[in-house]
Amino acid sequence: MVQRITYRRRLSYNTRSNRVKKVRTPGGKLVFQYLKKRPSVPKCPVTGLKIKGVKPATNQEKTRMSKRLKTVSRSYGGVLSHQAVRDKIVRAFLIEEQKIVMKVMKAKGKKE
């Protein structure tokens, strides 16, 4: 006959926070082991893309992880996606170009 298993905690519904796995103990009993919710990969706030090279982890796990698992070696690495960083650089370049053009136009206007 199959052994029946009951939840070990008070919550008796099959919810996301109450996920379990059946495990056989060394004593031969079947028991439930509770599973943790796994964290998602961080996403870029600008583009919404998943940030590559960053391991999904809870805040508690992040404190125990090395820096190379939490970031990427580039400016805004681990915070913004590669696309957002490229857009930022291009935007800054175009703004500088615009300033130079305005300065040249102003200088032409004074000469005339």
Side-chain angles (χ1 to χ4, degrees):
M1 193 173 125
V2 181
Q3 182 186 346
R4 287 175 183 252
I5 315 173
T6 57
Y7 285 114
R8 301 160 103 176
R9 297 180 188 162
R10 285 177 189 266
L11 182 60
S12 62
Y13 298 104
N14 185 22
T15 61
R16 272 188 56 208
S17 62
N18 203 30
R19 295 211 353 254
V20 289
K21 171 174 94 171
K22 291 177 194 166
V23 173
R24 189 170 297 282
T25 62
K29 276 173 44 182
L30 263 182
V31 292
F32 273 146
Q33 267 188 0
Y34 285 91
L35 301 171
K36 288 182 181 177
K37 284 187 190 174
R38 294 313 306 154
S40 61
V41 177
K43 288 170 191 69
C44 175
V46 179
T47 59
L49 294 170
K50 287 181 181 177
I51 297 172
K52 294 187 169 91
V54 179
K55 208 168 186 195
T58 59
N59 290 340
Q60 201 175 25
E61 288 168 346
K62 278 181 190 168
T63 59
R64 292 187 293 253
M65 278 166 42
S66 63
K67 189 178 177 182
R68 69 175 197 81
L69 296 171
K70 295 182 276 191
T71 63
V72 182
S73 59
R74 85 170 156 255
S75 55
Y76 300 99
V79 179
L80 296 179
S81 65
H82 66 284
Q83 209 170 348
V85 174
R86 189 191 298 135
D87 291 348
K88 228 177 194 0
I89 293 166
V90 168
R91 194 176 297 119
F93 174 76
L94 291 173
I95 289 168
E96 288 301 314
E97 287 288 309
Q98 188 69 29
K99 284 179 188 173
I100 292 164
V101 169
M102 294 299 273
K103 202 180 280 184
V104 169
M105 296 294 276
K106 208 174 208 178
K108 271 191 181 178
K110 282 187 179 179
K111 283 185 180 178
E112 291 175 16

